Amino acid sequence: MKIEQAFGLALRNSRTERNLSQEKLADISGLHRTYISLLERGAKSPSLITIFTLAKALKVKPHHLIHLTEEKLSEVDT
Amino acid sequence: MKIEQAFGLALRNSRTERNLSQEKLADISGLHRTYISLLERGAKSPSLITIFTLAKALKVKPHHLIHLTEEKLSEVDT
């Protein structure tokens, strides 16, 4: 699994845990819904700034999103 | 302080803690020394992939670099 795919899974999990639609997350974060969809599918790699923006909108710490990403990566590697 | 400046400080601290020069970190990571210098000065925002690449070269977890970045940001905010 690629790093951006693992991030996409981490993002989708965090979003659905908060019962947010992609549209709602787009509203809160100020990012475009299409961009959020691309991130969740691992088709785009977010910048540091985008990671912080998404974390704020999801009310989690940015390092938590990255930690989740590492977990998704290791689930496949092991 | 901007997020990329906080990341730059986190990167510089992590690098100097390991007694690595920018040249040596460039060698290990495969990134250009000039790019590492720009990141440390907060002039560039790294992508998710670059964060993982730097963390691997520094032998830290990627979320540790982001946690350090959050700490640098909060030091100034409070």
Side-chain angles (χ1 to χ4, degrees):
Chain A
M1 184 185 293
K2 286 183 180 177
I3 295 166
E4 54 266 46
Q5 289 173 320
F7 180 82
L9 292 175
L11 175 59
R12 178 163 292 174
N13 282 11
S14 301
R15 175 177 64 74
T16 55
E17 266 176 19
R18 295 192 59 76
N19 292 312
L20 294 173
S21 64
Q22 289 187 344
E23 265 104 2
K24 188 65 188 168
L25 179 57
D27 276 354
I28 301 170
S29 65
L31 299 167
H32 200 283
R33 194 196 64 75
T34 307
Y35 183 56
I36 289 168
S37 170
L38 287 166
L39 286 173
E40 288 193 357
R41 282 183 281 139
K44 288 273 185 187
S45 174
S47 70
L48 177 73
I49 311 291
T50 300
I51 294 165
F52 272 67
T53 301
L54 288 165
K56 190 175 182 182
L58 291 165
K59 297 185 181 168
V60 296
K61 293 279 185 185
H63 78 266
H64 176 70
L65 275 183
I66 301 304
H67 202 172
L68 273 179
T69 303
E70 292 163 17
E71 285 177 356
K72 297 292 175 191
L73 275 173
S74 66
E75 276 171 24
V76 183
D77 286 353
T78 52
Chain B
M1 186 187 294
K2 288 183 179 174
I3 295 165
E4 54 266 48
Q5 289 173 319
F7 180 83
L9 292 175
L11 175 58
R12 179 163 292 175
N13 283 12
S14 301
R15 175 177 62 75
T16 55
E17 266 175 19
R18 293 192 60 77
N19 292 314
L20 293 174
S21 64
Q22 289 187 343
E23 264 103 2
K24 188 67 188 168
L25 178 56
D27 276 355
I28 301 169
S29 65
L31 299 168
H32 201 284
R33 195 197 63 76
T34 307
Y35 183 57
I36 288 170
S37 170
L38 287 166
L39 286 173
E40 288 193 357
R41 282 183 282 139
K44 288 274 184 186
S45 174
S47 70
L48 177 72
I49 311 292
T50 301
I51 294 165
F52 272 67
T53 300
L54 287 166
K56 190 174 183 184
L58 291 165
K59 297 184 181 167
V60 297
K61 293 277 185 186
H63 78 265
H64 176 69
L65 275 183
I66 301 304
H67 201 172
L68 273 179
T69 304
E70 292 164 19
E71 285 178 355
K72 297 292 176 190
L73 275 172
S74 65
E75 277 172 22
V76 183
D77 288 351
T78 51

